């Protein structure tokens, strides 16, 4: 009985510590979404960012391949609006315009049972999230977006982009921080899937693809590194 009491006491101490740590994290990192303004100036800054990442080359890119943190693997036929999404023993030939017509394979055998729709939705959600970490700068003028200028603490201008529709989580906002040439350095995130508002992630290790478009190789967020492996575009 004494041993059980001691174990319960230790568990209680650990839980209290976790709650305290989460509360401290929330207090340090949680920020309200800034209001911003100057939409015309914001559009000009967004165009500067597009030029920095060579958006014209991106638009003409036909195939992009990459892996997301070594777990999800993609071959995106961008002009054809389809993408091969692979994870574990699953391969989804995903039709981005008509997902229901997608082909699902498990261990190279076509899936036709009730799990098919779930696997297609998994592929859609994976692609929406993972491709955003690769090509988000190219999406600042997507339908359903709004842009505003936010004054940063260092006196520079940040670009606040809000998504009112599209993707898996409409309603998210991102505050871009750019270098003097307009190349993204980092952004702060206000997203429904992240409980902390204003969490910052870097955009770094930019590489130029065969097409001339620029893509990041990694991001750092808190203690995490989000790796974009084996990125190729042609």
């Amino acid at each position: 009985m004494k041993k059980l009491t001691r174990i319960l006491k230790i568990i209680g101490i650990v839980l209290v510590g976790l709650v305290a740590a989460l509360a401290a994290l929330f207090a340090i990192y949680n920020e309200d979404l800034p209001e911003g303004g100057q939409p015309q100036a914001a559009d000009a800054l967004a165009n500067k960012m597009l030029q920095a990442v060579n958006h014209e080359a991106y638009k003409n890119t036909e195939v992009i391949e990459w892996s997301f943190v070594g777990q999800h693997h993609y071959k995106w036929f961008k002009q054809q609006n389809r993408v091969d999404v692979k994870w574990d023993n699953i391969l989804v030939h995903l039709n981005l315009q008509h997902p229901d017509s997608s082909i699902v394979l498990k261990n190279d055998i076509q899936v036709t049972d009730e799990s098919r729709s779930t696997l297609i939705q998994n592929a859609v959600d994976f692609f929406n999230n993972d491709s955003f970490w690769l090509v988000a700068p190219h999406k600042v003028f997507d339908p359903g977006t709004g842009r505003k200028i936010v004054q940063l603490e260092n006196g520079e201008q940040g670009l606040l982009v809000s998504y009112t529709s599209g993707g898996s989580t409409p309603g998210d906002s991102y505050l871009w921080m750019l270098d003097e040439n307009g190349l993204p350095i980092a952004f702060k995130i206000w997203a429904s899937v992240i409980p902390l508002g204003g969490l910052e992630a870097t955009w770094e290790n930019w590489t130029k693809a065969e097409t001339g478009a620029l893509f990041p190789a990694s991001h750092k967020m808190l203690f995490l590194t989000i790796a974009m492996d084996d990125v190729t575009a042609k």
Side-chain angles (χ1 to χ4, degrees):
M1 188 66 180
K2 288 184 178 180
K3 186 176 181 180
L4 178 59
T5 302
R6 189 181 305 115
I7 292 172
L8 292 174
K9 189 176 293 184
I10 292 171
I11 292 174
I13 292 171
V14 170
L15 289 175
V16 169
L18 286 173
V19 171
L22 289 172
L25 192 65
F26 191 85
I28 293 171
Y29 290 103
N30 192 54
E31 298 180 15
D32 292 332
L33 179 66
E35 292 186 5
Q38 306 177 62
Q40 290 184 337
D43 285 356
L45 188 57
N47 278 310
K48 183 177 181 179
M49 180 167 72
L50 290 180
Q51 186 173 0
V53 297
N54 201 345
H55 182 62
E56 286 301 315
Y58 169 78
K59 287 196 299 184
N60 295 323
T61 296
E62 295 186 359
V63 181
I64 303 175
E65 295 186 67
W66 83 100
S67 294
F68 182 82
V69 297
Q71 301 296 317
H72 305 153
H73 310 278
Y74 299 92
K75 187 170 186 179
W76 181 12
F77 302 89
K78 194 163 69 69
Q79 306 296 343
Q80 301 175 33
N81 213 17
R82 63 185 180 89
V83 57
D84 292 342
V85 185
K86 188 177 187 304
W87 72 96
D88 299 332
N89 60 346
I90 303 297
L91 172 62
V92 179
H93 298 293
L94 181 62
N95 185 318
L96 293 169
Q97 191 168 5
H98 303 289
D100 288 344
S101 67
S102 302
I103 297 172
V104 181
L105 302 175
K106 183 175 183 180
N107 293 321
D108 298 323
I109 298 173
Q110 187 166 348
V111 176
T112 57
D113 62 18
E114 65 275 4
S115 67
R116 177 178 173 274
S117 60
T118 298
L119 292 171
I120 290 175
Q121 188 58 53
N122 287 343
V124 170
D125 292 340
F126 290 159
F127 176 75
N128 285 343
N129 177 78
D130 301 353
S131 64
F132 192 84
W133 286 99
L134 186 71
V135 302
H138 300 282
K139 297 175 67 64
V140 294
F141 282 102
D142 275 9
T145 56
R147 291 153 299 279
K148 296 179 181 179
I149 291 290
V150 172
Q151 295 299 321
L152 305 176
E153 292 181 357
N154 63 3
E156 300 290 333
Q157 289 186 333
L159 175 65
L160 180 65
V161 181
S162 297
Y163 294 80
T164 59
S165 63
S168 296
T169 54
D172 296 350
S173 295
Y174 302 85
L175 178 58
W176 290 94
M177 289 154 275
L178 314 174
D179 69 10
E180 64 276 8
N181 298 313
L183 190 68
I185 299 170
F187 64 18
K188 289 187 175 184
I189 307 166
W190 286 263
S192 58
V193 296
I194 299 177
L196 298 175
L199 201 60
E200 184 172 322
T202 65
W203 282 68
E204 55 187 73
N205 298 321
W206 290 89
T207 57
K208 182 180 288 189
E210 183 180 328
T211 60
L214 270 66
F215 299 98
S218 63
H219 312 276
K220 291 178 182 176
M221 184 169 62
L222 293 178
F223 52 85
L224 301 174
T225 297
I226 303 171
M228 308 286 111
D229 297 320
D230 306 318
V231 180
T232 62
K234 54 190 177 182

